[in-house]
Amino acid sequence: GGLSARTVGHAHQDLRLMLQCAVRNGTLARNVAAVHAPPKVEQDEIEILSAEQIADVLAKLDGHTLYPIVALALATGMRRGELLGLQWDDINLDARTIRVERSLEETNAGLRLKSPKTKSGRRNITLPSETADMLRAYKIEQMRIRLVMGAGKLEPDTVVFTDVHGKPLKPHTVSRAWRRVVAAKKLPAVTFHALRHTHASALINAGVDIPHH
């Protein structure tokens, strides 16, 4: 109840695969999940931001706690889980590169880091110079906050985006905060996920051939 058709579909797929294994090993006689189809997912048009809207969003978010992660999402096209799983040793600020190695997901047991599902998911991304400068300033501020909070020094495997206590941010927390700031600052009403597609659209418009995954 209250879940989107897409989320129910993902849960149905996982359950069907598990029951399929149970049938294969003789624990169950039949796979009941294979009998019942999941709800149909409506293919909504993906909303993206125009160049003017991107500039407006970044200007209105300047100084806001969401600014670094939103700016990085727009600059790299990284998924929400990839952004939240990012560690400082994945970033080379001098070379202006990011290595995507993992993703943070939320489970019933809590947060966990997982490796990309495909080889293309593990990739290198080149950062614009202004994004590298932003991350450098953000890193310094994070070190200052950790010092004030007594959270210890910034280790290489420290996640980049944390709360004030140095704990990893939860995916749903970021999405909820984005919805709130969209309403409060009258930003274009797009989802946080749309920031990734905004990046892809900008690359396509620039004539860059990108993989779709």
Side-chain angles (χ1 to χ4, degrees):
L3 297 178
S4 69
R6 190 179 303 277
T7 300
V8 173
H10 289 322
H12 177 272
Q13 182 182 31
D14 289 342
L15 180 60
R16 181 177 57 80
L17 291 174
M18 285 188 289
L19 295 182
Q20 183 177 312
C21 290
V23 171
R24 195 179 300 122
N25 65 29
T27 305
L28 293 177
R30 68 175 185 142
N31 185 347
V32 293
V35 177
H36 300 282
K40 183 179 179 181
V41 177
E42 296 296 332
Q43 297 299 321
D44 297 328
E45 183 178 352
I46 296 172
E47 296 184 70
I48 59 174
L49 303 177
S50 66
E52 293 76 14
Q53 287 175 317
I54 291 172
D56 185 50
V57 165
L58 292 177
K60 288 181 177 179
L61 283 183
D62 189 26
H64 193 278
T65 55
L66 280 183
Y67 181 89
I69 193 170
V70 169
L72 191 59
L74 288 168
T76 65
M78 292 172 66
R79 298 174 176 85
R80 182 185 61 177
E82 292 172 342
L83 291 163
L84 296 177
L86 194 63
Q87 298 175 352
W88 281 113
D89 56 357
D90 298 324
I91 305 175
N92 187 326
L93 291 174
D94 294 328
R96 293 194 288 112
T97 59
I98 283 180
R99 176 69 175 166
V100 179
E101 292 281 358
R102 70 197 68 79
S103 179
L104 184 75
E105 70 173 1
E106 202 165 355
T107 70
N108 289 334
L111 299 177
R112 78 178 182 98
L113 294 171
K114 64 176 183 178
S115 299
K117 294 180 180 179
T118 63
K119 288 183 179 179
S120 60
R122 185 177 281 108
R123 62 199 187 279
N124 288 314
I125 299 174
T126 301
L127 295 171
S129 56
E130 59 270 22
T131 306
D133 292 340
M134 178 275 294
L135 284 174
R136 187 174 281 107
Y138 173 71
K139 185 176 185 179
I140 292 172
E141 177 63 11
Q142 191 180 58
M143 292 168 65
R144 186 191 69 80
I145 292 175
R146 288 178 68 87
L147 183 64
V148 171
M149 298 296 295
K153 65 179 183 177
L154 202 65
E155 299 293 346
D157 62 350
T158 301
V159 292
V160 174
F161 299 109
T162 67
D163 61 18
V164 292
H165 302 291
K167 302 295 184 183
L169 292 173
K170 296 179 179 179
H172 81 270
T173 299
V174 173
S175 293
R176 185 174 63 223
W178 169 253
R179 289 193 297 269
R180 286 176 176 172
V181 78
V182 162
K185 295 184 177 289
K186 296 180 172 57
L187 303 179
V190 298
T191 64
F192 187 88
H193 184 69
L195 303 180
R196 163 178 165 76
H197 293 288
T198 293
H199 169 82
S201 175
L203 290 180
I204 292 170
N205 290 337
V208 178
D209 184 22
I210 62 170
H212 296 277
H213 54 256

